[in-house]
Amino acid sequence: MIGPSQKRSLIWAMVHVAGIAGLVALATTARVQGQEDAGQVAETASEAFALNCFSPFMTAARAAEVLEAPGVRVDFYDLDPFSDAAPSPVTGRAATTGTDRRCEVAFDGEYGDFAASAAVAGLEAEGIRTEAPIPDRYRPTEGTALLGARQLNPRRVAVVHVGTRPGPNGIETFLLVERLMPIAP
């Protein structure tokens, strides 16, 4: 038989263990929820990129409407639109030399292979299938999951780069397509 002081100690120990178990369960739930949220952001951003960034009629206003979402960073410019839309100036990173358009999304986490699959699906959906040489200024980086160039028309090439890189909150996944300046006839 245990005495009253031993009983109190045993009860305190059980409460303490239960409390720790509860904290571990809470932390695990929060981590899983965070991973689910991050996965949802990755899915939403990758799908939005695939559905919109290959469209020749994308504008900065449209990019803000369909690409921007909580947890998604967007970089878009179009200095020479295919439509009668006004040019969209460079507002994010400096324009890549030799390009007149960039459509990029980035988000926290390592989802390079998933994002690459979405980008390929977007190219297919737009009917952009003809491969082109990748210009020398584009190089794979450590986290590259996809780097390729596609012929848009006889004078235009687009370069698609998808992968992971250091971001503002750790590793981020990025999907970008840049349209090169027209090739002289």
Side-chain angles (χ1 to χ4, degrees):
M1 190 130 210
I2 60 173
S5 65
Q6 291 173 320
K7 191 173 184 181
R8 278 192 303 270
S9 295
L10 184 57
I11 291 171
W12 184 89
M14 289 170 60
V15 168
H16 182 69
V17 168
I20 290 173
L23 288 175
V24 169
L26 182 61
T28 301
T29 301
R31 188 176 73 241
V32 169
Q33 181 64 43
Q35 289 171 344
E36 289 174 2
D37 291 348
Q40 183 61 48
V41 169
E43 186 175 323
T44 299
S46 297
E47 183 178 308
F49 176 89
L51 290 172
N52 297 286
C53 282
F54 299 113
S55 169
F57 304 108
M58 181 68 117
T59 64
R62 181 83 176 132
E65 179 184 328
V66 299
L67 300 176
E68 291 180 4
V72 180
R73 294 173 289 283
V74 176
D75 188 4
F76 181 86
Y77 64 84
D78 190 348
L79 306 176
D80 187 15
F82 279 179
S83 67
D84 62 355
S88 300
V90 177
T91 57
R93 294 188 336 260
T96 301
T97 303
T99 70
D100 61 13
R101 183 177 190 263
R102 174 188 301 137
C103 189
E104 176 177 347
V105 299
F107 46 89
D108 296 343
E110 296 185 50
Y111 297 93
D113 291 336
F114 176 80
S117 295
V120 169
L123 286 164
E124 286 294 318
E126 279 291 325
I128 304 170
R129 296 182 181 96
T130 306
E131 291 189 28
I134 301 170
D136 290 340
R137 67 180 162 266
Y138 291 93
R139 299 270 184 227
T141 57
E142 186 176 323
T144 295
L146 172 69
L147 177 61
R150 297 289 185 269
Q151 199 75 44
L152 298 175
N153 62 41
R155 297 185 58 225
R156 291 284 195 159
V157 170
V159 175
V160 179
H161 193 180
V162 179
T164 59
R165 64 186 178 205
N169 304 313
I171 297 296
E172 72 177 4
T173 299
F174 69 93
L175 300 91
L176 83 86
V177 58
E178 291 183 327
R179 188 178 65 214
L180 306 181
M181 298 282 197
I183 299 167

